[in-house]
């Protein structure tokens, strides 16, 4: 893996690399994790924008707005440093409008995201430990798991994909925009399989304490999860046989990358 530091003047990190990959290998890109980059610091705007398949970027730190904009099959993980003196579930790790227009790929955020998380996402899968207002706005595909609080107006204009929100205090319903979606407390078998895989990956990639706590008491976790399903999408699956994104589980990590990332950060001390 490559190792480097980033600062907030480093914008659209990964975009030029992805362009070269697409020019040479076309839209399919490269096999998963062909190129891995471990980073430390605070990334500027559009970290991982348009990241192509086969590229994985693991950031120990935080990032500004537009993380994963136009994500195109790549993998992004953002991990709160072990030395941080704050709870990742109560502090912002990435800025606003993450995954804007993403079409494929994965994003795991060990911390809270700003507003409009996954706006216009059409295919990426993501885990985050809290979001601001307007989460999953105009989302048309993909899967989002929120392991913490949300802001208001969640799922406004959401017409496809599915979201899962951990809601142990029963506060989420008042924050959701149910104009186009329905909220469900009962999870189907494919919901449970997708959610567990996402949380397991999140822990493996970021070392998330929140994620591990949920896995350690999984049955109780499932009782506190609300599924957000667009009504038109549910109808298309049941009546028209449309593809169900819940049947497309992300791959399992080959190694404990959270440990590797921590080792990289420690090596610079």
């Amino acid at each position: 893996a490559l190792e480097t530091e980033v600062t907030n003047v480093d914008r659209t990190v990964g975009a030029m690399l992805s362009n070269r990959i697409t020019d040479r290998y076309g839209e399919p890109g490269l096999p998963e994790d062909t190129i891995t980059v471990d980073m430390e610091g605070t990334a500027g705007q559009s970290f991982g924008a348009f990241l192509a398949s086969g590229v994985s970027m693991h950031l120990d730190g935080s990032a500004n707005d537009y993380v994963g904009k136009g994500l195109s099959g790549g993998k992004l993980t953002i991990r709160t440093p072990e030395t941080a003196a704050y709870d990742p579930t109560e502090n912002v790790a990435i800025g606003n409008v993450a995954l804007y227009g993403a079409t494929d790929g994965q994003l795991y955020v060990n911390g809270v995201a700003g507003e409009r998380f996954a706006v216009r996402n059409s295919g990426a899968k993501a885990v985050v430990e809290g979001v601001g207002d307007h989460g999953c706005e105009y989302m048309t595909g993909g899967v989002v798991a929120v392991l913490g609080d949300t802001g208001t107006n969640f799922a406004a204009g959401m017409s496809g994909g599915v979201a899962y929100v951990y809601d142990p205090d029963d506060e989420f319903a008042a924050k959701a925009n149910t104009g186009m979606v329905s909220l469900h407390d009962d999870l189907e078998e494919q919901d449970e399989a997708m959610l567990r895989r996402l949380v397991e990956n999140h822990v493996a990639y970021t070392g998330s304490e929140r994620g591990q706590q949920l896995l350690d008491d999984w049955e109780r976790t499932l009782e506190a999860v609300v599924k957000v399903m667009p009504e038109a999408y549910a109808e298309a699956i049941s009546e028209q046989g449309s593809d169900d994104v819940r049947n497309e589980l992300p791959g399992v990590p080959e190694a404990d990358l959270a440990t590797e990332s921590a080792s990289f950060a420690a090596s610079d001390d």
Side-chain angles (χ1 to χ4, degrees), residues 1-23:
L2 303 174
E3 297 180 353
T4 187
E5 295 184 356
V6 291
T7 71
N8 59 9
V9 300
D10 297 318
R11 294 175 291 183
T12 62
V13 175
M16 291 182 66
L17 172 62
S18 295
N19 175 260
R20 297 295 180 88
I21 291 171
T22 302
D23 280 349

Side-chain angles (χ1 to χ4, degrees), residues 28-162:
L30 297 168
E32 187 173 0
D33 297 326
T34 298
I35 299 173
T36 301
V37 186
D38 294 331
M39 304 181 187
E40 182 181 8
T42 298
Q45 289 197 351
S46 302
F47 176 73
F50 312 110
L51 200 67
S53 296
V55 183
S56 299
M57 299 200 309
H58 307 290
L59 173 62
D60 197 76
S62 59
N64 280 273
D65 297 342
Y66 296 105
V67 169
K69 177 176 65 178
L71 188 67
S72 302
K75 185 188 303 173
L76 295 169
T77 71
I78 298 176
R79 178 180 182 276
T80 296
E82 289 186 344
T83 56
Y86 52 81
D87 182 353
T89 65
E90 297 180 356
N91 286 268
V92 174
I94 65 173
N96 300 321
V97 204
L99 292 180
Y100 175 77
T103 58
D104 193 10
Q106 300 172 55
L107 170 64
Y108 300 93
V109 182
N110 175 215
V112 177
E115 297 184 355
R116 290 192 158 85
F117 182 83
V119 56
R120 299 195 184 278
N121 174 35
S122 65
K125 298 178 175 68
V127 181
V128 63
E129 298 181 9
V131 298
D133 295 341
H134 317 296
C136 297
E137 185 181 33
Y138 304 125
M139 186 165 136
T140 62
V143 182
V144 169
V146 183
L147 309 185
D149 294 336
T150 74
T152 61
N153 203 37
F154 190 95
M158 180 180 176
S159 61
V162 61

